[in-house]
Amino acid sequence: MEDTRSVASLMDSTSSKIQQLQKAFAELESQRAVTLNLKWKELEEHFHGLERSLKRRFHELEDQEKEYETKTRKAQELLEKKKAAVEAKEKASLERLQKKRDAAMFTINSALDKYNNAPISKPSIGERWPQNAVRDSPNAFVADSIADDNPDGTVQDVQISPVMGNFEVKAYPQLLKLCGDMDSTGLHKFVSDNRKNLASLKEEIPIAFRAAANPASLVLDSLEGFYPMEAPSADGKKDANLLGMRRTCIMLMECLSILLSGLGLNSLSTVLSESVKQRAKTIAEGWNPLLETLDMDACNGNSLEAHAFLQLLATFAIVSDFKEDELLKLIPMVSRRRQAAELCRSLGLSDKMPGVIEVLMNSGKQIDAVNLAFAFQLTEQFPPVALLKSYLTEARRSSSQGRPGNASPAVRDEFNERELTGVKAVIKCIEEHNLEEQYPVEPLQKRILQLEKAKAEKKRATEPTKPQPKRPRGAQPRVSDNNNNNNNKTGYGRVIPERYPQYVYDNRPFLSGPIMAAQAPPPPAQTYTFSPAPAHGTFYGNCYQYQAPPPYFH
């Protein structure tokens, strides 16, 4: 601005400079010492032209400066608005995160309080508890001295410390008896009968395990029949009973892990004794060859067999007895299971997760890769939005391969159904991990509507049309309506019209009735009559009824 003011002041002083120059020129002419070729008028016009050119250029520069200032001001306002919007979104995200954190902490603290401060019922005769359970932890129930006398993990009869208090299973007291009796078969049946309340069962089974003389052996007993002896390679997906039994086995091993997580080192080594570990290792070695026949693509990341094997290794701490590479090959078979991340941590495979995620990406399981990337904080190395877009691209490519001319209608329907399932899975993943700002779901929801509409239209087009009932041809029989129609005083029946309107001359009284019957002559005795039946009865070809004349007598 100072430069602009200086330029303007110089331009304003141009006139004074011209006047001074005029005076000097006049002095020169007065001296007449030198003959000048230029006249003063030409010189004055030249300088005035320069002045006008400078002023015009100066005004242009001023206009450009104002325009630049306007654009700069608008840009600053836009930046401030965007900055405010980003700060508002950041604040909202922090508030949501804080709420989720508070809710998670409240849930964890509530569970810990309920688990640690659960009242313990006074044990009956035959129930077994350690003497120093209080010393190890509130949930510990095995003593060091017992470990020395019982290497197999069996807890002997001991006196309960009064400090332990009483515990009880509030919702399902039957669990205490089943665990106290070491009844694995009854425990399986009880869980199967109460499968609708799995959440409460998972809370109370770890507590009920404390009533068992040897909870680890009880869980190992429950694994009997996981692979039927008559058909070890039976498909659990086709057998509902086998499928439910395998799920129960996995849940019982998880509940035992919860119980073991609250024990001290001494109590833990007593429960998971060498004999118990050796028995679990024998079971795992028997299962391991059967897993080689599993197909990773067919499992679709939801294999109960692989999950049970890995859970067995994690629960009974026998991971070191098996090769790590073999375990890593099984992780993609359980990648869709909600316990996959925690299972990998329990197996000590956290540092191998980048390789597992790459395997999932290359096998078309990008959604499972995103879930593991969030679980192990690897989202910078594996961007979730890029993985989800890659998953949708592959799904759409598969759908495009099933267009008319390339495949049968059944294959096209399968591809479209696969794309519909994939889009829904992507939306669910976006909502679970709060990726709406990075990946809006509105276009995906529109795509779901298009696919569902096309599916409904195709279904309507392929449904067989329901045949319409054919109407009987010809006139319908007369239906008597004398009892119901009080207005009918003649005593004659009427014809209910079906397809054609009633003929107006159907009920002509002079062709029928008692009068005509009285006037008709009686037939002569022993006379033969010939009355050929009309081709259509007493109906014309147009289905209208007519009154037949009396028979012709010969």
Side-chain angles (χ1 to χ4, degrees), residues 19 24 66 95 103 131 137 170 184 231 255 267 271 274 294 301 311 324 352 432 451 474 486 507:
Q19 292 177 0
K66 290 180 180 179
E95 290 178 354
Q131 294 177 348
S137 72
K170 298 180 180 179
S184 61
C255 292
S267 301
V271 177
E274 290 300 325
L294 292 179
Q311 188 66 53
E324 189 178 71
K352 303 294 182 180
E432 286 180 352
L451 292 174
N486 297 327
N507 296 329

Side-chain angles (χ1 to χ4, degrees), residues 260-279:
L260 297 177
S261 64
L263 298 181
L265 294 177
N266 296 330
S267 301
L268 183 61
S269 62
T270 303
V271 177
L272 295 181
S273 61
E274 290 300 325
S275 60
V276 171
K277 288 185 178 181
Q278 184 60 36
R279 184 182 172 191

Side-chain angles (χ1 to χ4, degrees), residues 523-529:
Q526 296 182 353
T527 58
Y528 296 93
T529 60

